[in-house]
RNA sequence: GGACCUGUAGCAUAACUGGAUAGUGCCCCUGAUUACGGAUCAGGAGGUUGGGGGUUCGAAUCCCUCCAGGUUCACCA
């Protein structure tokens, strides 16, 4: 049992015995004691004042006395106004460390059979991935790792948007201006190659619209009648009619894109258990429409279009099926939700999708609830904000995006330059060195994307490259490398990884470190419950910072008492383990030297 | 116009869900390396938590209202 929980249970008993107040230990909250006061755990007694008709300070003192007398962990206490600050015996801390160090995988919850399906990165096949996709991918994979750590089975899925008018746009542009070029023939990554024609389409389209407007046609009409758009629409019809030539072109260009995507995925470390293609799922959902009509959840208008009325829940009426019987986005998403459940009976299904679709998912989930889907209560939209540039929004049509491949390459190069400047890895062979640059560069990037609350939009300034100091990936990685160095020395000087926990006096930073280490499993749980990787990032940063403080405060190998020396080595070892484990949850590797 | 999201120091971010003097990083200033890694550590400067009301022992947090920015409300995806 962790120390926090033990104290809460004793407090729960105390409240019951002293004041006849019954509060479950799980419902009590202890906060970390602020640095300027003595102790590690603080209980706030103000809220007890009314029920007990006593002043908070007195309550704190009575509780404190009870703990000292009855609770084995409590050594002493200090009361400041309504705050009970508890000091725990050093032996409790050091024994705690011993227990944890004997534990196989601290933080790993027992594996259960609950399944979480998580949809990550749903790219279009008409352009390469950009920084927004990276935010999505980092969040998504991190949440999957965290859920696994918290005991879930996890299934990572990707749905590729490989059909539709926007795909036809790059196809028609290629047909018109491609000159039979291929990614190979002009040495270009396939997704960038296709993206080039998507941009080309929009250039041509824009010019055609301008021309039409100049000849006196309204802008709206012009943008519906631009010749190249008509061509694209024609191509979509051909595609839907399975016209062989169109299908062949479509397949060829999509292959190029997938080759490009998989390179990007490999660098960032993205792997999926299942990939769905919209070309295979876009007709799904029509049977659900029927079902909804029969159940009276949907209704039909005179023109045969099908709607759902959500005005009772503060939303609007929403179209489910067009009057001509063709699908809309919602139809499809209803269908894929069912498909996903048929493929794997999940308890939770998480959609990592940008916040411009908040409303869409709100509606989708409410409809599935109305349809009494057994999985409806496990649905969650992990919504994240846009990534902005100093110049404003990223717009792929206008080419103002931060390209995913480019930013990763830049980060890796920056890491290389920085590492070489510091000159600490001389003697490391080339292959290992370039792996290190990748670890550091991507570590900085991923940490940057994960550490903030997903809901907030974030600003990315390419001019000021992502920092390697302070609250960053490389800071944490550095701490790990530093500890690794200690452990190498411990091994070479044959310091045993064991100590006597009952013969130690700890200093503040040592207690603080064990406190943090002890909290790791609880942090994993709360990150899993809230689908919030930033909790882990914050926690790991705190841990690394505390270690560096410890490192500066005390000496390890110059410590004269051998038991104390060994204790500090074990403490270092355990800290490193958690840093490694926690960074893994964020999808970030950790180096042994840098 | 309706709905939803966001607003904390020059910039970036946190606050255990209502608790102590609002933490932390970048930037700026001052210090620390004969010792285990200075991508580090210690100290300092910088705040009317967008504004105004309210609720109570206590508010960045809850309620009302206004302001700013964003997203969305299509027989688009």
């Amino acid at each position: 049992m962790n120390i926090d929980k033990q104290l809460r249970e004793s407090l729960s008993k105390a409240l019951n015995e002293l004041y006849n107040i019954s509060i479950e230990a799980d419902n009590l909250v202890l906060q970390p004691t602020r640095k300027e006061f003595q102790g590690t755990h603080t209980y706030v007694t103000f809220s007890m004042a009314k029920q007990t008709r006593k002043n908070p300070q007195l309550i704190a003192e009575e509780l404190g006395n009870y703990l000292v007398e009855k609770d084995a962990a409590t050594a002493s206490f200090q009361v400041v106004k309504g705050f009970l600050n508890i000091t725990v015996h050093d032996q409790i801390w050091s024994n705690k460390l011993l227990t944890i160090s004997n534990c196989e995988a601290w933080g790993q919850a027992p594996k259960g059979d609950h399944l979480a399906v998580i949809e990550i990165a749903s790219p279009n096949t008409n352009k390469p991935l950009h920084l927004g996709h990276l935010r999505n991918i980092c969040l998504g994979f991190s949440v999957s790792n965290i859920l696994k750590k918290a005991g879930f089975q996890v299934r990572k899925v990707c749905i590729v948007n490989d059909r539709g008018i926007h795909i036809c746009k790059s196809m028609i542009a290629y047909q018109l201006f491609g000159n039979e070029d291929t990614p190979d023939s002009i040495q270009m990554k396939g997704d960038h190659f296709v993206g080039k024609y998507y941009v080309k389409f929009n250039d041509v389209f824009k010019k055609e619209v301008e021309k039409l407007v100049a000849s006196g046609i309204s802008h709206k009409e012009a943008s519906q009648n631009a010749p190249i758009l008509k061509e694209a629409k024609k191509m979509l019809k051909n595609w839907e009619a399975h016209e062989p030539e169109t299908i062949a072109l479509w397949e060829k260009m999509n292959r190029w894109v997938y080759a490009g995507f998989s390179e990007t995925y490999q660098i960032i470390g993205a792997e999926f258990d299942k990939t769905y293609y919209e070309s295979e799922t876009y007709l799904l959902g029509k049977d659900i429409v029927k079902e909804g009509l029969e159940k009276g959840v949907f209704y039909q208008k005179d023109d045969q279009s099908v709607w759902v009325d959500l005005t009772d829940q503060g939303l609007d009426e929403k179209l489910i099926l067009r009057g001509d019987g063709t699908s809309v986005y919602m139809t499809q998403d209803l269908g894929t939700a069912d498909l996903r459940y048929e493929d794997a009976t999940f308890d939770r299904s998480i959609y990592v999708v940008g916040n411009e679709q908040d409303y869409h998912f709100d509606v989708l989930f409410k409809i599935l609830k109305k349809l009494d889907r057994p999985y409806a209560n496990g649905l969650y939209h992990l919504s994240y904000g846009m990534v902005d540039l100093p110049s404003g929004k990223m717009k792929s049509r206008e080419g103002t995006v931060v390209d995913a491949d480019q930013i990763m390459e830049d980060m890796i190069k920056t890491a290389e330059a920085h590492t070489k400047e510091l000159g600490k890895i001389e003697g490391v062979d080339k292959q290992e060195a370039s792996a290190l640059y990748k670890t550091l560069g991507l570590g900085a990037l991923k940490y940057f994307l994960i550490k903030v609350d997903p809901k907030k939009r974030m600003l990315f300034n390419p001019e000021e490259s992502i920092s390697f100091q302070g609250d960053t990936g490389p800071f944490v990685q550095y701490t790990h490398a530093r500890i690794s160095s200690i452990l190498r020395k411990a091994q070479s000087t044959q310091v045993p990884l064991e100590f006597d926990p009952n013969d130690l006096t700890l200093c503040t930073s040592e207690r603080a470190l064990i406190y943090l280490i002890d909290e790791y499993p609880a942090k994993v749980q709360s990150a899993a419950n809230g689908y919030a990787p930033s909790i882990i990032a914050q926690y790991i940063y705190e841990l690394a910072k505390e270690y560096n403080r410890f490192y500066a405060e005390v000496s390890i190998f110059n410590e004269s008492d051998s038991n104390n020396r060994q204790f500090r080595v074990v403490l270092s070892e355990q800290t490193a383990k958690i840093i490694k484990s926690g960074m893994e949850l964020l999808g970030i590797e950790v180096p042994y030297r840098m």
Side-chain angles (χ1 to χ4, degrees), chain A residues 349-411:
Chain A
S349 178
I350 300 136
Y351 297 76
V352 186
V353 179
N355 65 5
E356 73 273 19
Q357 296 196 30
D358 284 357
Y359 182 74
H360 173 75
F361 281 103
D362 203 4
V363 171
L364 176 66
F365 294 168
K366 286 195 164 116
I367 294 175
L368 288 168
K369 236 170 243 179
K370 275 186 183 256
L371 290 169
D372 285 327
R373 286 298 181 268
Y375 55 80
N377 286 322
L379 298 166
Y380 184 76
H381 174 206
L382 176 48
S383 161
Y384 62 91
M386 302 287 103
V387 181
D388 283 323
L389 299 172
S391 55
K393 277 188 78 165
M394 293 202 291
K395 288 181 183 150
S396 47
R397 252 177 290 188
E398 293 169 23
T400 56
V401 291
V402 178
D403 177 69
D405 297 313
Q406 189 63 50
I407 181 73
M408 291 194 291
E409 192 186 321
D410 288 351
M411 290 305 299

Side-chain angles (χ1 to χ4, degrees), chain A residues 270-497:
Chain A
E271 278 176 23
F272 300 96
D273 299 305
K274 167 83 183 174
T275 300
Y276 292 95
Y277 297 92
E278 233 183 86
S279 54
E280 293 168 0
T281 62
Y282 80 110
L283 295 175
L284 292 177
K286 294 195 185 181
D287 47 341
I288 300 182
V289 175
K290 262 185 226 153
E291 179 196 335
L293 282 170
E294 281 161 16
K295 285 188 176 168
V297 176
F298 303 154
Y299 64 93
Q300 204 154 23
K301 290 193 178 172
D302 293 341
D303 64 358
Q304 300 300 305
S305 59
V306 179
W307 296 75
V308 64
D309 183 2
L310 294 169
T311 47
D312 57 328
Q313 302 189 53
L315 302 179
D316 297 316
E317 297 179 11
K318 187 82 188 170
L319 180 80
I320 303 294
L321 194 71
R322 290 195 187 103
D324 63 5
T326 55
S327 300
V328 292
Y329 189 30
M330 190 59 75
T331 327
Q332 208 182 119
D333 266 8
L334 288 167
T336 47
D338 267 8
L339 175 64
R340 226 170 263 189
Y341 191 68
E342 284 161 25
D343 285 353
T345 311
F346 56 78
D347 300 276
R348 301 197 195 178
S349 178
I350 300 136
Y351 297 76
V352 186
V353 179
N355 65 5
E356 73 273 19
Q357 296 196 30
D358 284 357
Y359 182 74
H360 173 75
F361 281 103
D362 203 4
V363 171
L364 176 66
F365 294 168
K366 286 195 164 116
I367 294 175
L368 288 168
K369 236 170 243 179
K370 275 186 183 256
L371 290 169
D372 285 327
R373 286 298 181 268
Y375 55 80
N377 286 322
L379 298 166
Y380 184 76
H381 174 206
L382 176 48
S383 161
Y384 62 91
M386 302 287 103
V387 181
D388 283 323
L389 299 172
S391 55
K393 277 188 78 165
M394 293 202 291
K395 288 181 183 150
S396 47
R397 252 177 290 188
E398 293 169 23
T400 56
V401 291
V402 178
D403 177 69
D405 297 313
Q406 189 63 50
I407 181 73
M408 291 194 291
E409 192 186 321
D410 288 351
M411 290 305 299
I412 293 168
K413 278 192 178 145
T414 308
E416 176 173 358
H418 208 65
T419 306
K420 283 182 171 160
E421 196 185 312
L422 292 170
K424 288 185 189 172
I425 60 158
E426 279 143 21
V428 171
D429 71 70
K430 251 191 169 169
Q431 208 178 356
E432 203 177 318
S434 69
L436 175 66
Y437 306 145
K438 190 181 154 195
T439 298
L440 295 177
L442 292 180
L445 178 61
K446 290 180 178 180
Y447 190 92
F448 178 82
L449 292 173
I450 284 174
K451 76 169 177 180
V452 301
D453 181 350
K455 267 193 302 195
K456 291 187 179 172
R457 45 193 311 131
M458 66 193 300
L459 186 80
F460 177 76
N461 190 345
E463 299 301 311
E464 321 164 1
S465 66
I466 295 169
S467 170
F468 283 57
Q469 273 155 18
D471 185 5
T472 65
F475 170 87
V476 179
Q477 290 170 320
Y478 172 76
T479 310
H480 186 268
R482 207 179 205 190
I483 299 175
S484 302
S485 170
I486 294 277
L487 297 177
R488 280 193 296 271
K489 181 162 178 173
Q491 195 176 28
S492 67
T493 57
Q494 295 177 339
V495 177
L497 289 178

Side-chain angles (χ1 to χ4, degrees), chain A residues 126 141-142 195 387 391:
Chain A
N126 60 352
F141 281 92
S142 182
V387 181
S391 55

